[in-house]
Amino acid sequence: MPEFQHIEYLILLALVPALIGIFIYALYKKRMTVKKLGDKELVNLLTSNHSSSAYLQKFLLVVLAFGILIMALANLRSTTGSEKISRNGIDVMIALDVSKSMLAQDIKPTRLDRAKQLLSRLVDKLSNDRVGIVVFAGKAYLQMPLTGDHAATKMYLNAANTESVPTQGTVIGDALKACNASFNTKEKKYKAVILISDGEDHDEGAMKTASEMGQDGIMIYTVGIGSPQGSPLIDEATNQLKTDKDGNTVISKLNEEELRSIADKGNGKYILFQNTDDVVENIKSELAGMDQRNVTDDSLLNYKSYFMYFLAVAFLFLTIEIFISEKKKRKNDYLKLKPSLAILFVFIGLGAAAQTQKENLAIKKGNEAYMKNDYSNALDAYGKVIEKNPENATAQFNQGNALYKTDKKEAAVVAYDKALKKLNEPVEKSNAFYNKGVVFQNDKKLPECILAYKNALRLDPGNEDARQNLQKALQQQQQQQNKDQNKDQNKKKQDQKKNEEKKPEPKQQQSKLTRKDAEEKLKALMEQEKNLQDKLHKVNATSVSKPEKDW
């Protein structure tokens, strides 16, 4: 059944009655103006060449075109059925730990970043399998149900972060339950869970859940990411080392024993993360050894859109409206008009085609010079195209590359920004952002290059070059921050040492209190101390013994 993709735009149709009201008011004003002119016969004689019907026709065509354009904007479409994809495979649920302990940097750049990179590469290997995602920390949420759309899977993985789950902790049991609920309960095999976590703060219910899932034929593979010796955590709010309630630095350690036990209960295997490619191949071989069945995925609906037909009709109405004159004309006048219009359209079409061909030849010439490292001639060729047509995104993009090669970094960034405004395809825009990132990275502008690489990945999650360069930039930024912190600490120590050397010795002053006054003051202080201790005992008796962790 046909439906509108953007039904909210149909509210703009409410403007049609407003336009009609404006038209009626304009007619009223015309009549009032005619009355003010005086003699009716004289007015009719003066306006005999004006066609009221043509005026009405022009208005109706404009209103109809306006309404049809709104319909085009709402995009009427109909389903042509689901895209059924049949293949031999299994159902795989990914359970990804997004707690703040995953921000530890014993695995560079962080445990979470490396886990997402691992899962992204693994999804590329699961071409015949359906994949779903559960993210968890203090709670577990189904991020994406089982689907064969692997591009969507990678997009959701790329978007996962510590803000995806507001409650902190690590409830692996809830994550396993969410994965189990996503499977077909009628099947006793063809199902697997890939749990990737540091295992810290593991809840007791996970063992029981893993055992029940193993009895139902679900294979659970756990990937431990982190190090047994652990790593301190950086508090995102203060950018300082996180401490517990006693002021001790928090050390997040990999809990291999718990993750290994979960895998054993789930008839699977525990894998320690050491190298991305090794872990991917290990999991792939384990999943390939499982029984597979014919998977039919019909989750992807195909739509046929009709907006282009609405645009064509609206364009036709507006074109007709342009050539309707409110001035009455003889028949011979119309006969002269048609050939002139036909010739005009022909010349316009030929001129546009010739201009496009010239631009393509100039860009090709510039590309040939660029490949020969003749960047000066390449810039001349691209510049000529841009001078004649500033809207040519290809010339702007290629000009940015040539400017970068001639060490004109700022001008290259400006060229990429101009190209980004003209480019429409996500992959093309991703490449432009990637090139900007390369320029910034070589110019030691790390915050700008990190932002550019992130924008490239948002537009094209499969841009591995941007992903790898982003990791390098983040590492460089962390190293720079560490150096700056060390410099600040050394400077503070030096200043403190100088202050201590200059600080004069305090002079002792004789007490003017008598012995009796001193005893009375001491007695009063001891009484205050006793009252304070009594209050603290009462508070401790009513307080919770173990505060909630926030990592």
Side-chain angles (χ1 to χ4, degrees):
M1 181 178 178
E3 62 179 15
F4 286 102
Q5 182 182 3
H6 305 290
I7 194 170
E8 64 273 11
Y9 293 146
L10 294 179
I11 195 172
L12 295 174
L13 290 173
L15 295 175
V16 173
L19 292 174
I20 295 174
I22 293 172
F23 177 74
I24 294 173
Y25 178 74
L27 289 178
Y28 169 76
K29 291 292 290 182
K30 273 191 172 185
R31 289 174 183 171
M32 295 301 294
T33 302
V34 167
K35 286 183 179 180
K36 290 180 181 179
L37 290 176
D39 191 349
K40 186 175 180 181
E41 292 184 2
L42 178 61
V43 170
N44 290 336
L45 181 63
L46 292 173
T47 60
S48 61
N49 205 28
H50 178 267
S51 174
S52 299
S53 61
Y55 181 68
L56 178 61
Q57 290 172 11
K58 287 172 69 70
F59 170 75
L60 291 177
L61 285 171
V62 171
V63 171
L64 284 173
F66 178 75
I68 292 171
L69 285 173
I70 294 174
M71 303 279 279
L73 191 63
N75 188 24
L76 183 68
R77 64 181 185 177
S78 63
T79 58
T80 58
S82 302
E83 183 180 350
K84 294 183 179 293
I85 305 173
S86 297
R87 52 184 178 262
N88 289 325
I90 60 174
D91 289 340
V92 180
M93 286 299 300
I94 294 171
L96 176 60
D97 185 352
V98 294
S99 61
K100 290 187 178 179
S101 63
M102 291 289 285
L103 296 177
Q105 297 178 6
D106 47 2
I107 303 293
K108 297 294 184 180
T110 66
R111 296 174 183 175
L112 182 58
D113 287 328
R114 191 51 65 91
K116 289 161 62 175
Q117 181 191 38
L118 162 67
L119 292 173
S120 179
R121 293 190 184 180
L122 179 62
V123 168
D124 291 334
K125 303 288 185 179
L126 305 178
S127 56
N128 292 329
D129 304 318
R130 294 196 304 173
V131 182
I133 303 173
V134 168
V135 294
F136 68 95
K139 290 185 178 180
Y141 296 95
L142 177 64
Q143 190 83 343
M144 188 187 75
L146 286 166
T147 178
D149 188 353
H150 290 181
T153 304
K154 294 177 72 172
M155 181 183 70
Y156 278 107
L157 283 173
N158 185 62
N161 55 49
T162 55
E163 303 300 324
S164 301
V165 180
T167 307
Q168 286 302 308
T170 310
V171 288
I172 297 178
D174 288 354
L176 293 176
K177 289 178 182 178
C179 292
N180 190 27
S182 301
F183 289 123
N184 184 351
T185 56
K186 296 180 181 180
E187 295 179 338
K188 290 292 183 181
K189 49 185 179 179
Y190 318 122
K191 299 179 286 187
V193 172
I194 298 172
L195 170 68
I196 184 163
S197 171
D198 53 23
E200 188 179 29
D201 226 19
H202 160 59
D203 60 311
E204 298 176 357
M207 289 296 181
K208 181 181 177 182
T209 303
S211 180
E212 292 173 352
M213 292 173 67
Q215 293 173 7
D216 289 338
I218 301 173
M219 307 288 284
I220 301 177
Y221 298 94
T222 58
V223 179
I225 187 159
S227 58
Q229 62 271 22
S231 172
L233 298 177
I234 302 296
D235 193 323
E236 293 176 303
T238 63
N239 203 29
Q240 300 294 323
L241 293 178
K242 181 177 281 293
T243 57
D244 58 18
K245 63 183 181 64
D246 298 323
N248 300 318
T249 300
V250 173
I251 303 296
S252 175
K253 299 180 180 180
L254 170 64
N255 193 341
E256 286 191 278
E257 182 181 350
E258 300 294 347
L259 293 173
R260 187 178 286 108
S261 299
I262 291 172
D264 291 340
K265 294 288 185 182
N267 302 320
K269 180 180 178 181
Y270 168 72
I271 303 169
L272 173 63
F273 178 88
Q274 291 179 322
N275 178 275
T276 300
D277 293 331
D278 291 344
V279 176
V280 169
E281 290 302 322
N282 201 336
I283 296 176
K284 179 187 174 185
S285 61
E286 290 288 335
L287 297 179
M290 293 177 58
D291 291 336
Q292 300 186 354
R293 53 94 164 87
N294 184 265
V295 178
T296 301
D297 187 4
D298 59 354
S299 60
L300 301 175
L301 290 175
N302 289 327
Y303 290 96
K304 181 179 179 181
S305 296
Y306 302 101
F307 71 90
M308 67 287 294
Y309 301 114
F310 288 94
L311 288 176
V313 174
F315 179 76
L316 176 63
F317 285 172
L318 290 174
T319 304
I320 294 173
E321 188 272 338
I322 291 172
F323 296 110
I324 293 179
S325 175
E326 296 180 40
K327 184 179 178 182
K328 293 180 179 178
K329 293 187 178 182
R330 296 185 299 274
K331 186 176 180 181
N332 291 337
D333 293 332
Y334 290 102
L335 292 176
K336 293 177 183 177
L337 182 63
K338 292 180 180 178
S340 300
L341 285 175
I343 294 171
L344 177 63
F345 285 136
V346 167
F347 278 114
I348 290 174
L350 290 175
Q355 180 64 26
T356 302
Q357 188 175 11
K358 286 181 180 179
E359 291 176 5
N360 291 337
L361 288 173
I363 291 174
K364 182 180 179 182
K365 182 180 178 181
N367 293 344
E368 290 173 351
Y370 183 91
M371 296 302 293
K372 296 176 182 178
N373 298 330
D374 186 2
Y375 304 122
S376 177
N377 284 331
L379 284 171
D380 289 341
Y382 301 142
K384 289 177 181 178
V385 175
I386 295 170
E387 184 179 355
K388 293 181 179 179
N389 182 14
E391 302 296 315
N392 194 308
T394 303
Q396 297 279 13
F397 183 90
N398 290 358
Q399 186 188 53
N401 294 342
L403 287 168
Y404 169 67
K405 288 293 186 179
T406 55
D407 203 30
K408 298 176 181 177
K409 299 183 178 66
E410 293 183 0
V413 171
V414 172
Y416 291 136
D417 286 336
K418 290 180 180 179
L420 281 167
K421 294 178 181 179
K422 311 295 187 303
L423 294 171
N424 297 317
E425 294 297 325
V427 173
E428 294 176 349
K429 298 185 76 170
S430 174
N431 290 335
F433 274 118
Y434 170 78
N435 284 5
K436 274 184 65 177
V438 171
V439 174
F440 284 133
Q441 194 165 10
N442 281 280
D443 205 19
K444 307 299 182 184
K445 296 180 179 179
L446 293 178
E448 291 87 345
C449 88
I450 289 171
L451 178 61
Y453 290 143
K454 286 182 177 179
N455 287 331
L457 287 169
R458 288 191 187 100
L459 291 163
D460 180 15
N463 193 332
E464 289 300 325
D465 291 333
R467 194 182 309 281
Q468 293 176 7
N469 281 12
L470 175 60
Q471 291 176 0
K472 292 178 183 177
L474 289 170
Q475 290 176 359
Q476 292 173 355
Q477 187 182 53
Q478 185 60 46
Q479 292 171 359
Q480 185 62 44
Q481 289 175 353
N482 292 338
K483 288 181 181 178
D484 293 341
Q485 288 178 1
N486 291 334
K487 288 181 180 178
D488 292 340
Q489 290 175 358
N490 292 334
K491 187 176 180 181
K492 287 180 181 178
K493 288 179 180 178
Q494 292 175 358
D495 293 340
Q496 186 177 2
K497 187 176 180 180
K498 290 179 181 178
N499 291 334
E500 289 176 353
E501 291 174 353
K502 295 179 180 179
K503 189 175 180 181
E505 291 292 329
K507 294 181 178 180
Q508 293 185 351
Q509 191 159 344
Q510 297 295 327
S511 174
K512 296 181 180 179
L513 290 175
T514 65
R515 183 187 182 102
K516 185 178 179 181
D517 292 338
E519 288 178 351
E520 288 179 355
K521 282 185 175 290
L522 179 61
K523 185 178 179 181
L525 288 172
M526 291 177 67
E527 186 66 26
Q528 290 178 2
E529 176 68 17
K530 183 176 180 300
N531 293 336
L532 179 60
Q533 291 294 336
D534 290 341
K535 289 181 180 180
L536 289 175
H537 284 309
K538 290 179 181 179
V539 172
N540 291 334
T542 58
S543 64
V544 180
S545 60
K546 182 181 178 182
E548 182 180 356
K549 293 170 66 176
D550 64 342
W551 67 86

